[in-house]
Amino acid sequence: MITKSDIRLCRSLADRRARTETGLFLAEGAKLVGELRASALRVRRIFAAEGLFEGPEVTPVSAAELERLSLLKTPSNAVALVEIPRRTLRPERLRDRLVLALDDIRDPGNLGTILRIADWFGIGEVVCSATSADCFNPKAVQATMGAILRVAVHYTDLPRFLDEAVRLQMPVCGTFLDGEGLYEAPLPRAAVLVVGNEGHGIGAACASRVTRRLYIPPYPADRHGSESLNAAMATAIVCAEFRRRCAAGTAK
């Protein structure tokens, strides 16, 4: 049996302020909820179809009740209230890693897809500007396809973080139209990869901190087609090339 307060709480978590005040986010779908239960994150409550899960935190509910709890257009068979993890950003611990830095990524779906890409390529730390979408937005959580469990996301003053990365002698890379060709440029094993806003690219403050300007060439090189790539597409291409170089032993 669910209560009106259960419904109000779940529905309120569509709003970032409510997530901040309660320290909770909403996860939907039996697969994701099952992964959450096996992860280090704390699951506070689960509302699920009869027989799907067992435990003291599980409340069996009907399809009609799930529809009232869900934030999705097509309600799933399980909804979980999960505590937002508290993580500390320590740049000095990232010196030997590949790290993503997201500059003003506004669309939750794009941000979630980028986290999924990070997870695929073994990137465990993502640093976001304060103006980027909340990774615990329901749309972002769904788009991560479970990556939110394995990728640590930090929100901070991004130009200041990049300053610290430069001080620690970490290469700071970003893609620009006047950059060096991605497939010819020497690439480091560890670096900060800056991903820019969907419409405007990397902002001036972060661009001024980039130490390695790269360019994703079209094919053929002189072809004039689409003006630019989607932020998530560009991220996937750059991450794939960095990891390919690492696997081949040609990254410096």
Side-chain angles (χ1 to χ4, degrees):
M1 174 72 71
I2 61 171
T3 65
K4 289 183 178 179
S5 67
D6 290 331
I7 296 169
R8 281 196 300 268
L9 175 57
C10 289
R11 303 292 297 181
S12 74
L13 297 179
D15 182 70
R16 188 171 192 165
R17 181 180 296 180
R19 293 193 295 273
T20 301
E21 290 175 352
T22 62
L24 299 171
F25 72 95
L26 202 69
E28 303 198 40
K31 183 176 183 298
L32 178 55
V33 172
E35 289 181 347
L36 279 161
R37 296 187 91 192
S39 76
L41 274 65
R42 185 181 175 192
V43 178
R44 184 86 61 85
R45 296 280 304 278
I46 295 174
F47 304 96
E50 188 78 41
L52 199 56
F53 294 108
E54 294 183 359
E57 77 279 23
V58 178
T59 301
V61 292
S62 66
E65 288 173 319
L66 277 167
E67 189 171 351
R68 297 174 71 189
L69 294 165
S70 176
L71 297 176
L72 301 177
K73 289 182 179 179
T74 304
S76 61
N77 51 3
V79 172
L81 293 170
V82 188
E83 294 186 7
I84 295 173
R86 305 299 177 188
R87 297 184 171 107
T88 302
L89 177 61
R90 295 187 174 91
E92 66 277 4
R93 294 188 178 183
L94 306 180
R95 292 183 66 174
D96 299 320
R97 304 183 193 180
L98 197 60
V99 179
L100 288 182
L102 309 188
D103 181 23
D104 197 32
I105 297 295
R106 296 293 184 96
D107 183 83
N110 273 349
L111 187 137
T113 301
I114 291 171
L115 296 186
R116 186 178 177 187
I117 291 164
D119 187 35
W120 181 261
F121 287 107
I123 298 172
E125 305 276 347
V126 174
V127 183
C128 299
S129 66
T131 56
S132 289
D134 179 14
C135 65
F136 296 107
N137 176 294
K139 186 177 179 181
V141 171
Q142 293 304 122
T144 70
M145 298 294 287
I148 195 70
L149 311 179
R150 295 174 290 275
V151 178
V153 184
H154 309 277
Y155 288 84
T156 191
D157 180 327
L158 197 56
R160 183 176 296 179
F161 168 77
L162 297 179
D163 284 339
E164 183 64 10
V166 172
R167 187 188 71 79
L168 293 169
Q169 299 184 322
M170 294 179 68
V172 177
C173 305
T175 56
F176 300 86
L177 292 176
D178 62 350
E180 188 176 2
L182 175 65
Y183 305 116
E184 293 79 34
L187 300 180
R189 294 181 63 85
V192 177
L193 306 181
V194 183
V195 179
N197 173 274
E198 294 90 345
H200 308 293
I202 299 172
C206 289
S208 67
R209 273 84 172 174
V210 171
T211 59
R212 299 285 302 279
R213 297 170 72 93
L214 301 171
Y215 171 61
I216 302 172
Y219 184 85
D222 59 351
R223 183 174 182 271
H224 298 288
S226 299
E227 183 179 327
S228 63
L229 290 169
N230 170 280
M233 290 180 183
T235 302
I237 292 169
V238 174
C239 288
E241 183 61 13
F242 268 79
R243 289 313 199 199
R244 186 189 71 81
R245 301 282 188 95
C246 285
T250 57
K252 304 299 183 184

